[in-house]
């Protein structure tokens, strides 16, 4: 009976990604700005506008391929990760064969995304953390009306980024990116009974089908610090299991500040997730603090620093994720 229900899973939800203006480097007025989403969109659905309306997405032109989300350096554009993560986890619990995610145009069976452009490093890293082999199946991307011809290469780079994150854990993700074959049409949707009913509840429907359901994300409440961090980076931090050895370097690009700092507020002002905070001391001066787990590695701070006192550090010890990092302690402020 479960198989029959799953075969009727219907696609639903908003194809347009959520845009969170405070996370956008254009809205933050970072030096150099950013037009990655506009440059990447294969359907000219994204326009760059004035401050306050910096990113405008045409819902009629947007196909929901997710390629803009893949390249956004700060998480200003995002989709809900719940459905693909739940699918991967359920498949891992149901069978030793692992999980698969396929694009909607591939003709393959199994859980389907609109496009493999929706796959992010967090999804691949989570599969590695759960020990679930993951197969990513694409169709004829050169002729696809949804994504772009180079989607397989893009997804391969996503998988490589996830592997760099997982390297410190000693448990790499087992991921395979390939074109769908005729035998993939018979792939079954394998989810746990609990996962199936959870999907029904999330969808709010009587029937479910092969396409993974998605929910429109609510607006971010910026007054809540935990909501300032994109879901993608929250999941990346969660997937650092098994816990890396204390002396293992974890790949997580983030800024450091040197002694040429002039104690201005620019870095904290441009930070899209407020991972860098500038606290004024009662006795005078200021302290710069970094919440490493909230840093997306966009390096807007580095590009915007007037004296170029910031440089990137690519690897950190696991302990650095648990307490604020003191970047600068100064007795003067601008």
């Amino acid at each position: 009976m479960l198989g029959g229900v799953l075969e009727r899973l219907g696609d639903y939800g908003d194809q347009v990604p959520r845009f969170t203006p405070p996370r956008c480097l254009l809205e933050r007025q970072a030096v150099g700005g950013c037009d990655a989403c506009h440059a990447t969109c294969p359907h000219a659905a994204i326009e760059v506008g004035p401050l306050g309306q910096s990113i405008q997405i045409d819902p009629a032109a947007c196909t929901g391929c997710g390629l803009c989300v893949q390249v956004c350096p700060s998480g200003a554009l995002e989709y809900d990760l719940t459905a693909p993560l739940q699918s991967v986890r359920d498949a891992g619990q149901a069978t030793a064969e692992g999980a698969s995610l396929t694009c909607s145009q591939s003709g393959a069976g199994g859980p389907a995304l609109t496009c493999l452009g929706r796959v992010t490093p967090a999804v691949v890293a989570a599969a590695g953390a759960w020990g679930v082999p993951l197969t990513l199946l694409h169709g004829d991307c050169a002729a696809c009306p949804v994504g772009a011809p180079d989607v397989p290469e893009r997804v391969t780079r996503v998988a490589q980024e996830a592997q760099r994150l997982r390297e410190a854990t000693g448990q790499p993700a087992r991921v395979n990116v390939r074109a769908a074959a005729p035998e993939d049409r018979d792939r079954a949707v394998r989810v746990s009974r609990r996962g199936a009913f959870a999907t029904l509840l999330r969808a709010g429907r009587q029937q479910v089908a092969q396409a993974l359901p998605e929910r429109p994300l609510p607006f971010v409440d910026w007054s809540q610090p935990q909501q300032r961090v994109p879901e993608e980076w929250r999941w990346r931090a969660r997937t650092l299991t098994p816990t890396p050895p204390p002396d293992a370097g974890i790949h997580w690009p983030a800024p450091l500040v040197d002694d040429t700092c002039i104690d201005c507020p620019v870095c904290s002002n441009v930070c899209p997730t407020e991972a860098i905070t500038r606290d004024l001391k009662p006795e005078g001066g200021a302290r710069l603090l970094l919440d490493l787990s909230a840093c997306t590695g966009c390096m807007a701070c580095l590009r915007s620093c007037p004296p170029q006192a910031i440089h990137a550090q690519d690897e950190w010890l696991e302990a650095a994720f648990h307490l604020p990092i003191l970047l600068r302690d100064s007795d003067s402020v601008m």
Side-chain angles (χ1 to χ4, degrees):
M1 184 177 84
L2 181 59
V5 171
L6 291 170
E7 288 174 0
R8 295 190 298 273
L9 176 62
D11 192 12
Y12 84 105
D14 190 355
Q15 294 290 330
V16 176
R18 176 176 69 178
F19 174 58
T20 303
R23 292 194 197 129
C24 180
L25 301 188
L26 293 175
E27 291 291 326
R28 287 284 179 172
Q29 302 184 65
V31 170
C34 179
D35 69 345
C37 57
H38 169 74
T40 296
C41 181
H43 307 290
I46 300 178
E47 293 294 336
V48 176
L51 192 66
Q53 295 179 322
S54 55
I55 298 299
Q56 302 171 32
I57 304 176
D58 181 356
C62 177
T63 64
C65 67
L67 295 176
C68 59
V69 174
Q70 270 191 358
V71 301
C72 181
S74 61
L77 293 170
E78 59 186 334
Y79 286 110
D80 182 31
L81 296 178
T82 304
L85 287 169
Q86 182 72 54
S87 174
V88 171
R89 185 65 181 269
D90 285 342
Q93 293 175 341
T95 175
E97 297 177 7
S100 69
L101 293 172
T102 182
C103 77
S104 62
Q105 305 297 302
S106 70
L113 298 167
T114 306
C115 172
L116 288 191
R118 294 284 192 101
V119 177
T120 66
V123 174
V124 178
W130 295 327
V132 178
L134 178 61
T135 301
L136 301 173
L137 300 169
H138 61 82
D140 181 5
C141 296
C144 181
V146 177
D150 63 343
V151 163
E153 290 79 12
R154 292 171 184 251
V155 177
T156 298
R157 290 196 294 270
V158 165
Q160 291 170 344
E161 185 175 352
Q163 295 290 30
R164 293 184 71 182
L165 175 62
R166 291 213 50 76
E167 185 176 351
T169 70
Q171 181 177 301
R174 289 175 286 170
V175 58
N176 181 24
V177 181
R178 64 173 176 84
E183 56 268 23
D184 293 314
R185 296 181 182 275
D186 298 327
R187 281 179 175 264
V189 180
R190 296 183 177 93
V191 299
S192 67
R193 185 177 296 273
R194 176 180 296 180
F197 283 108
T199 299
L200 279 168
L201 292 174
R202 286 195 299 269
R205 290 185 169 197
Q206 296 287 323
Q207 299 178 338
V208 293
Q210 187 163 278
L212 289 174
E214 61 182 271
R215 60 181 180 179
L217 288 168
F219 288 108
V220 171
D221 182 354
W222 202 255
S223 68
Q224 301 297 319
Q226 66 273 19
Q227 292 193 31
R228 297 171 191 168
V229 183
E231 186 180 18
E232 168 70 18
W233 275 267
R234 292 201 300 268
W235 269 104
R236 290 190 195 189
R238 290 173 191 159
T239 62
L240 289 172
T241 59
T243 302
D247 59 347
I250 298 171
H251 181 73
W252 195 284
L256 282 178
V257 178
D258 64 33
D259 289 338
T260 62
C261 174
I262 59 176
D263 303 309
C264 73
V266 169
C267 58
S268 60
N269 288 346
V270 301
C271 182
T273 59
E274 300 188 6
I276 297 178
T277 54
R278 181 174 180 263
D279 297 337
L280 298 178
K281 299 188 294 186
E283 67 274 19
R287 300 170 75 228
L288 275 182
L289 298 172
L290 170 67
D291 180 353
L292 184 63
S293 62
C295 179
T296 68
C298 70
M299 295 302 159
C301 54
L302 184 153
R303 296 193 302 274
S304 302
C305 179
Q308 298 182 341
I310 295 178
H311 63 274
Q313 177 165 300
D314 289 339
E315 291 191 346
W316 300 79
L317 299 180
E318 196 270 338
F321 287 84
H322 303 296
L323 291 172
I325 299 169
L326 181 63
L327 296 177
R328 172 82 170 169
D329 192 343
S330 173
D331 293 329
S332 63
V333 294
M334 284 189 66

